[in-house]
Amino acid sequence: MHRLLCIEILKLWREGVDCFLTGGALGFDTLAARAVLHLRQSYVPHIRLTLALPCKGQEKNWPLRDQNAYRAILQQADQAVCLSESYSKSCMFQRDRYLVDHSGHCLCWMKPDAKRGGTLYTVNYAKKSGIEVTNLYPPPRAGVPASPLEGVLP
């Protein structure tokens, strides 16, 4: 998944995108943030990462390992936008809308038969907003370049 994310992020970078937003959640958001940070360290030093956080302290009930990973990403991010002082039913959807409203493209990992959830909400909102969506599920099995730069950089 890391390689696939790097490839897609580099494709967007090549099209002129230099700032990437993630929602600060566990799972795909964490993987995407790590991919941006890896690319910044290894290939594209000026690429930027912005975290759109639903509320302060969202990580407080996560396992310690995940809290530490979250805080490490937060320290390396160029910007963190916290959308609510505390958790509420609406803060996650507010974060999802912020991501779409401040993006020109949406990368996601969503099963085609998804019936509910934050990813589905975000993807539907992106489509209604005219934002292009790239769903990385399922990952390609053949034809993935051995290097994340193969076929992407000149």
Side-chain angles (χ1 to χ4, degrees):
M1 172 59 67
H2 177 76
R3 181 185 304 151
L4 183 59
L5 272 165
C6 286
I7 290 168
E8 292 300 322
I9 291 166
L10 284 170
K11 284 180 186 175
L12 291 168
W13 172 77
R14 193 172 185 196
E15 293 172 12
V17 177
D18 65 354
C19 183
F20 292 83
L21 286 77
T22 68
L26 294 173
F28 188 78
D29 283 358
T30 299
L31 295 173
R34 284 180 173 162
V36 170
L37 293 172
H38 168 76
L39 290 170
R40 180 170 69 193
Q41 182 179 14
S42 305
Y43 304 106
V44 190
H46 65 277
I47 198 170
R48 293 177 292 138
L49 174 65
T50 296
L51 300 180
L53 308 176
C55 61
K56 286 187 178 178
Q58 74 162 348
E59 79 287 359
K60 67 182 176 183
N61 293 319
W62 295 356
L64 185 57
R65 183 190 76 204
D66 293 331
Q67 288 183 37
N68 291 336
Y70 170 81
R71 290 181 185 124
I73 291 169
L74 189 57
Q75 287 179 342
Q76 295 175 75
D78 298 284
Q79 181 181 19
V81 178
C82 189
L83 298 166
S84 178
E85 287 294 317
S86 60
Y87 176 81
S88 69
K89 281 186 171 184
S90 65
C91 73
M92 299 296 178
F93 294 115
Q94 184 180 0
R95 182 262 326 266
D96 298 341
R97 289 189 301 272
Y98 180 93
L99 287 168
V100 171
D101 292 343
H102 293 84
S103 299
H105 196 96
C106 174
L107 289 178
C108 69
W109 173 271
M110 186 177 73
K111 292 183 178 179
D113 59 351
K115 304 267 189 277
R116 61 189 168 123
T119 304
L120 179 63
Y121 174 84
T122 305
V123 166
N124 286 338
Y125 183 65
K127 288 178 179 178
K128 287 177 188 171
S129 299
I131 302 295
E132 186 178 345
V133 175
T134 300
N135 187 359
L136 301 179
Y137 181 92
R141 303 216 186 274
V144 175
S147 163
L149 298 177
E150 187 178 322
V152 178
L153 294 177

